[in-house]
Amino acid sequence: MRITILGAGAMGSLFGGLLAEQGHDVELLDVNPTHIEKVRNHGLTLETEGKGARVVRLPIARPQAAASGPDCLILFTKTLHTQGAMESVRHVLDDRVLVLTLQNGLGNAERVAAFLPMSRIAVGVTTVPADMIEPGHVHSHGAGHNRMMMADGRPSDALQALAEALTQAGLPSTLDATVQAAIWQKAAFNAALNTVCAVTCATVGQVGRQPQARELAHDIATEVLAVASANGIAVDAKGLHDTLDHALDHHLQHKPSMLQDLLAGRRTEVDAINGEVLRVARWLGIDAPRTQALDALIRVREVLVLNSR
Ligand code: NAD
C-alpha cells in the first residue's frame, strides 16, 4: 500500500517505520527540521519490544512536498495541529484517499471533515505506546491495540486492508462498530488523569498516593461518562474506573503527555479533551464543573509556560 503519515513524531514514526519494514511504500511528513534531517541522512531508528533497535530507511518531507496518490493517510499530529497539517496536504487529498485518525481526544473526524467527506474518514483509538527518544529515534515500550471504524459507520474494504497491513506490521488492529465508546472512554481517562497530573506537576504515582486527588480523578471520569451517556454513548464505567486505579497503582513514575507538553513549554491537547467534553455537555444542557475547572486551570498553565519560554 502507499501510505502517508502526517505528523511523524513518536506515534507517526513508529507506525510509519513498522509499515515500511513490511514493504509498504511509506512517506513520513513532518515540520520538525531536525527530525527530518536525521531520518533523511541516517534513517529512522526504531526500537520495539522483542525486536530491539534497528534503522529503517524511508522518505520524509515537509507536508507541502508530499507525494500525491497515497491509498491512505494516517494523521498523527497532536490534535491542535490537525487543521494546519491537513491544510498543507490539500494537494494529496484526491477523491479516493482514506484518512485515518487515531489521535487522542474527541472531535477528530469533525476536524478532518473540513477537508474531505466523512465517507473517506476513519476514526479510532490506540493503546500502542510510543516515545521520541531524540529526533530520528523512536521507542515503543509495550504492546497495544488499534480499534477503528469509518466515521460514517459504513463498511470499507480500504479500511479493512489498512487494518490488515497494520496488524501484519505488529500493530494489531480491528474494525469495531463500537469504537465511539472506546474513544469516549479514553477521553474520560485523559480528562481525569492527564489534567490532574498536569495542573499539579505530579506523576501518576504521586496523584495515586493522595486520596483526595485520586477521588477527584474518579469524579472527573464519572462526570465525563455522564456526558457520554446523555450523548447516547454507553461506556463501560467499571472498566474505566478499574483502568484508572490500575494506572494510579502501577504507572508510578509516568508523566502523562499533557504534563510532558507543559514541561517542554508546549500547548497541550486540552481543547480536544476537556474542551470537547464541555462543548458536548453545553449542547446537552449538562453541567460538568470539575472538567470545566481543570480545563480553565490547564489553559492558565499553558499561557504561563508559553510566556516563560
Ligand atoms: P508527537 O508530538 O510526538 O508527534 C506529533 C508530530 O506532529 C511532531 O513530530 C510534530 O513536529 C508534527 N507536526 C506538528 N505540526 C505539524 C504539521 N502542521 N504538519 C505535519 N506535522 C506536524 O505526538 P505523539 O505522541 O506521536 O501523538 C500523536 C497523537 O497520538 C496525539 O493525539 C496523541 O494524544 C496520540 N497518542 C499518543 C500516544 C503515545 O504513546 N505517544 C498513544 C496514544 C495516542
Side-chain angles (χ1 to χ4, degrees), residues 6-292:
L6 181 57
M11 294 296 279
S13 292
L14 176 73
F15 276 53
L18 289 172
L19 286 162
E21 278 191 315
Q22 291 302 304
H24 294 288
D25 182 359
V26 178
E27 182 182 48
L28 302 180
L29 302 176
D30 207 278
V31 293
N32 178 340
T34 322
H35 186 56
I36 293 175
E37 189 269 325
K38 281 276 175 70
V39 174
R40 200 170 273 160
N41 296 328
H42 307 284
L44 172 71
T45 302
L46 202 58
E47 220 178 324
T48 54
E49 275 205 340
K51 271 189 137 183
R54 65 273 189 194
V55 173
V56 182
R57 295 274 170 187
L58 74 175
I60 185 164
R62 292 187 67 87
Q64 291 79 1
S68 53
D71 300 306
C72 12
L73 181 147
I74 304 179
L75 174 61
F76 258 139
T77 64
K78 290 276 174 73
T79 47
L80 61 156
H81 297 127
T82 294
Q83 192 181 343
M86 289 297 296
E87 193 76 60
S88 60
V89 294
R90 268 189 194 274
H91 63 287
V92 308
L93 301 176
D94 59 23
D95 57 8
R96 48 172 286 282
V97 65
L98 172 79
V99 174
L100 167 67
T101 159
L102 297 176
Q103 296 159 298
N104 276 335
L106 305 170
N108 290 313
E110 289 72 14
R111 277 184 283 280
V112 175
F115 300 89
L116 72 172
M118 282 290 189
S119 58
R120 283 191 286 118
I121 302 170
V123 286
V125 64
T126 178
T127 57
V128 173
D131 293 299
M132 179 80 81
I133 307 286
E134 59 179 349
H137 184 172
V138 290
H139 172 248
S140 182
H141 61 268
H145 183 230
N146 307 314
R147 295 159 68 179
M148 56 192 77
M149 67 179 278
M150 293 304 293
D152 65 4
R154 290 170 183 261
S156 158
D157 290 344
L159 185 61
Q160 180 70 46
L162 179 57
E164 282 167 17
L166 288 165
T167 302
Q168 280 160 13
L171 297 160
S173 301
T174 44
L175 270 51
D176 180 350
T178 67
V179 81
Q180 287 299 340
I183 290 172
W184 271 86
Q185 179 160 352
K186 194 157 188 213
F189 179 92
N190 288 335
L193 203 50
N194 279 14
T195 55
V196 175
C197 291
V199 163
T200 55
C201 253
T203 62
V204 172
Q206 287 166 331
V207 169
R209 279 196 291 279
Q210 194 60 244
Q212 294 88 340
R214 234 185 138 99
E215 191 179 334
L216 174 62
H218 280 286
D219 286 348
I220 296 169
T222 301
E223 210 174 80
V224 176
L225 291 203
V227 178
S229 167
N231 197 31
I233 293 163
V235 178
D236 168 17
K238 183 175 180 318
L240 171 59
H241 290 290
D242 288 351
T243 311
L244 262 179
D245 276 330
H246 180 83
L248 288 162
D249 292 335
H250 295 94
H251 300 169
L252 303 182
Q253 305 305 323
H254 180 60
K255 292 179 180 167
S257 59
M258 212 177 262
L259 173 56
Q260 290 182 34
D261 284 334
L262 290 176
L263 292 174
R266 295 187 298 253
R267 285 181 62 204
T268 72
E269 294 188 294
V270 70
D271 197 57
I273 301 173
N274 296 48
E276 286 290 340
V277 171
L278 292 172
R279 274 188 276 282
V280 176
R282 242 175 259 123
W283 180 68
L284 294 165
I286 298 173
D287 284 336
R290 297 173 187 81
T291 308
Q292 189 172 0

Side-chain angles (χ1 to χ4, degrees), residues 270-271 274-275 294-304:
V270 70
D271 197 57
N274 296 48
L294 269 299
D295 180 75
L297 296 175
I298 294 287
R299 288 172 198 268
V300 171
R301 289 265 289 127
E302 279 188 348
V303 172
L304 292 178

